[in-house]
Amino acid sequence: MRKPIIAGNWKMNKTAKEAVELIEALKPLVAKAKPEVVVCVPYTDLWAVADAIKGSKIRLGAENVAWADKGAFTGEISAEMLKEIGVEYVIIGHSERRQYFGETDASVNARTKQALANGLKPIVCVGETLEEREKNKTNRVLKKQVLEGLAGITDFTDVVIAYEPVWAIGTGKTATAEDANKTIGFIRRTIKANFGEDVAKALRIQYGGSMNPKNVKELMAERNIDGGLIGGASLKAEDFACIVNYKD
Ligand code: PEP
């Protein structure tokens, strides 16, 4: 009943010209996609990509959104600015934002609320570091990120969570399908306990962390995994399309 969602996170890659080339290569390859397909691209690529995806199955996402409407927030981009371009999804709280740019659960919460208030669909990222995992703190860390990041949200219809173990991002190391399923199961139980059973049943939770054409089938076969947030492999049309078309 939960429609799978495969989203690319291009991070700080691709100029606008390169972005259009990638989209043009991708379009025919995902023309019959069964899951929802999203590309989250750098701000400078958004207008060009919005134009390039017209008439295709590909939906547009950004990689962050400001928590304020407008004003003195140098370097930030507002929800209204994104909406005007046709952005539908927005990644919030990616581990690289948390690690390098001081993003906290409180700022994730503020950005998520701002996205929802403006009709954007947040992909809220959570995940433990290797150190936290080795100290058996995974569940404690995830519970805090989920509860604080989503505090005060009452309508989860448009919310997506991406479980991304930090040690698996860009490293080539993937959580085993079984492990990812178990941890996402824990996130779902946390959602159920705090936001109710209906929310937990309907909420889409992606896995992210070195998902690729080789491991996608195994990961997506797991009951709790509703899609993927894909970094490196989303930068090659063939690889991303293979992931999108994992069922074929
Ligand atoms: C990501 O950055 O969200 C990600 C999952 O990256 P990668 O697929 O490269 O590990």
Side-chain angles (χ1 to χ4, degrees), residues 162-209:
Y163 165 58
E164 301 206 296
V166 179
W167 48 271
I169 296 178
T171 57
K173 288 184 198 155
T174 326
T176 62
E178 199 188 337
D179 222 19
N181 186 56
K182 206 168 118 200
T183 310
I184 292 179
F186 170 77
I187 295 172
R188 210 176 284 291
R189 285 197 302 281
T190 303
I191 295 286
K192 180 178 166 186
N194 291 275
F195 301 102
E197 187 164 8
D198 292 350
V199 171
K201 271 191 183 154
L203 183 69
R204 293 185 293 179
I205 309 180
Q206 300 171 307
Y207 167 77

Side-chain angles (χ1 to χ4, degrees), residues 101-180:
F101 301 100
E103 204 78 64
T104 62
D105 293 326
S107 63
V108 167
N109 185 242
R111 291 183 198 276
T112 301
K113 284 178 171 162
Q114 180 70 354
L116 290 170
N118 287 277
L120 290 168
K121 299 173 181 171
I123 299 176
V124 181
C125 302
V126 297
E128 81 286 1
T129 63
L130 186 57
E131 198 191 341
E132 289 161 343
R133 182 180 176 85
E134 283 172 347
K135 288 186 179 159
N136 282 325
K137 287 185 178 165
T138 299
N139 287 2
R140 205 185 319 162
V141 167
L142 291 173
K143 188 173 175 186
K144 180 178 181 299
Q145 290 178 342
V146 166
L147 294 187
E148 293 184 14
L150 301 176
I153 289 164
T154 49
D155 186 350
F156 282 77
T157 317
D158 289 339
V159 177
V160 176
I161 292 181
Y163 165 58
E164 301 206 296
V166 179
W167 48 271
I169 296 178
T171 57
K173 288 184 198 155
T174 326
T176 62
E178 199 188 337
D179 222 19

